[in-house]
Amino acid sequence: HITVISNKTFDELQQIISNTRKITLIPNCIEDSWFHLHKKTQIENNKILIIGTKKNKNLHNILQAVKNLDIKLIIVGKLNDSDRKKLTNIKYENYYNLSREQLQKIYLQSQILLFPSLYEGFGLPIIEAQALGIPVITSNIEPMKSVAGKAALLVNPHKPDEIKTAINKLLNNHHLRQNLIEAGYLNANQYRCSRIALKYAQLYTSLLQNESFSF
């Protein structure tokens, strides 16, 4: 039996394995400690958090989108020389090799998570941000669309103008941010480790009841 973490990986695996009855979708999870740090009040510092700098994280289109915006990027992940050249006229801070506590602190200092990824197996930063009370902008493709639920602004990751519009919309609309924060917390709550562990326990129980094993 095979478990997959998103409908995206389920669909990809179907192209290889015809018997989908042997595939079960059980998503990733986050520890309760993330929820304990949930922000009670919003901050308005125009700091936009970027998690990841590999090609699929779409940094190229992000940097086009934020040109001429009065924001500061907080970029987590190593930057190459080409990336740094593109950042010449953009305010930014860069961090990598962070502990979990350091990463959580950076989340909490940010006003928005910008995560218009081109490809993910799951998209854990979406859930991390939602658990901490950070509104999210992410891609309108799978698996990000499903992981975010109805608790994020969805954009076409290939269109910098659309990303830019979403940033401005979220920066300038306090009511929208608050709604996304509240909806995000409820969405992230589905991904608590205790809930996901129960799904695995139910699967193992089912397999033990229906299969004979030799030890």
Side-chain angles (χ1 to χ4, degrees), residues 48-53 59 63 73-77 79 87 92-96:
I48 297 179
L49 179 60
I50 311 298
I51 301 288
T53 54
L59 191 60
L63 297 184
L73 292 181
I74 310 299
I75 303 172
V76 176
L79 295 168
L87 283 157
Y92 75 97
E93 298 173 12
N94 181 223
Y95 304 91
Y96 54 91

Side-chain angles (χ1 to χ4, degrees), residues 66-102:
V66 301
K67 281 182 180 178
N68 304 317
L69 289 182
D70 183 22
I71 56 92
K72 185 174 193 177
L73 292 181
I74 310 299
I75 303 172
V76 176
K78 287 189 176 182
L79 295 168
N80 58 37
D81 291 340
S82 176
D83 294 331
R84 293 187 183 279
K85 287 179 181 178
K86 295 173 186 175
L87 283 157
T88 300
N89 297 314
I90 299 171
K91 291 183 289 185
Y92 75 97
E93 298 173 12
N94 181 223
Y95 304 91
Y96 54 91
N97 293 336
L98 300 174
S99 68
R100 181 178 60 183
E101 290 74 18
Q102 289 171 324

Side-chain angles (χ1 to χ4, degrees), residues 26 54 57 85 91 94 102 116 124 140 156 167 187 191-192 202:
I26 302 180
K54 291 183 179 180
K57 302 302 182 180
K85 287 179 181 178
K91 291 183 289 185
N94 181 223
Q102 289 171 324
L124 193 61
N140 62 358
N156 184 328
I167 293 170
N187 184 63
Y191 298 93
R192 287 179 182 264
Q202 291 170 339

Side-chain angles (χ1 to χ4, degrees), residues 6-213:
S6 69
N7 50 12
K8 173 71 173 177
T9 50
F10 185 96
D11 291 342
E12 290 178 342
L13 194 56
Q14 275 191 105
Q15 307 305 313
I16 305 170
I17 298 174
S18 58
N19 187 0
T20 57
R21 289 178 299 173
K22 288 190 175 292
I23 308 172
T24 297
L25 196 166
I26 302 180
N28 280 340
C29 68
I30 53 174
E31 298 176 9
D32 284 353
S33 63
W34 289 82
F35 294 89
H36 298 157
L37 298 172
H38 184 81
K39 288 196 296 188
K40 303 301 182 184
T41 58
Q42 293 186 40
I43 57 174
E44 298 190 15
N45 58 10
N46 287 14
K47 287 185 177 181
I48 297 179
L49 179 60
I50 311 298
I51 301 288
T53 54
K54 291 183 179 180
K55 189 173 181 179
N56 65 299
K57 302 302 182 180
N58 203 19
L59 191 60
H60 174 73
N61 283 331
I62 288 173
L63 297 184
Q64 288 192 54
V66 301
K67 281 182 180 178
N68 304 317
L69 289 182
D70 183 22
I71 56 92
K72 185 174 193 177
L73 292 181
I74 310 299
I75 303 172
V76 176
K78 287 189 176 182
L79 295 168
N80 58 37
D81 291 340
S82 176
D83 294 331
R84 293 187 183 279
K85 287 179 181 178
K86 295 173 186 175
L87 283 157
T88 300
N89 297 314
I90 299 171
K91 291 183 289 185
Y92 75 97
E93 298 173 12
N94 181 223
Y95 304 91
Y96 54 91
N97 293 336
L98 300 174
S99 68
R100 181 178 60 183
E101 290 74 18
Q102 289 171 324
L103 180 60
Q104 288 173 336
K105 185 176 180 180
I106 287 174
Y107 267 110
L108 293 169
Q109 293 172 348
S110 304
Q111 188 172 349
I112 295 171
L113 171 69
L114 181 58
F115 194 71
S117 181
L118 300 172
Y119 181 90
E120 295 290 330
F122 183 77
L124 193 61
I126 296 169
I127 303 303
E128 292 173 342
Q130 289 178 338
L132 292 173
I134 316 297
V136 175
I137 298 171
T138 192
S139 304
N140 62 358
I141 58 176
E142 296 296 348
M144 287 71 74
K145 182 168 66 172
S146 293
V147 171
K150 296 182 179 180
L153 287 187
L154 302 180
V155 298
N156 184 328
H158 299 283
K159 295 186 176 181
D161 287 346
E162 197 168 317
I163 298 171
K164 187 174 189 174
T165 297
I167 293 170
N168 280 322
K169 187 175 182 180
L170 204 48
L171 286 176
N172 296 311
N173 190 328
H174 177 89
H175 182 69
L176 174 61
R177 292 201 307 273
Q178 189 60 47
N179 285 342
L180 288 181
I181 288 170
E182 292 172 3
Y185 187 81
L186 294 175
N187 184 63
N189 197 53
Q190 302 176 75
Y191 298 93
R192 287 179 182 264
C193 281
S194 55
R195 295 193 176 199
I196 303 306
L198 180 60
K199 293 180 183 292
Y200 277 104
Q202 291 170 339
L203 174 61
Y204 297 156
T205 299
S206 175
L207 293 173
L208 286 167
Q209 290 174 344
N210 292 289
E211 301 283 351
S212 59
F213 293 89

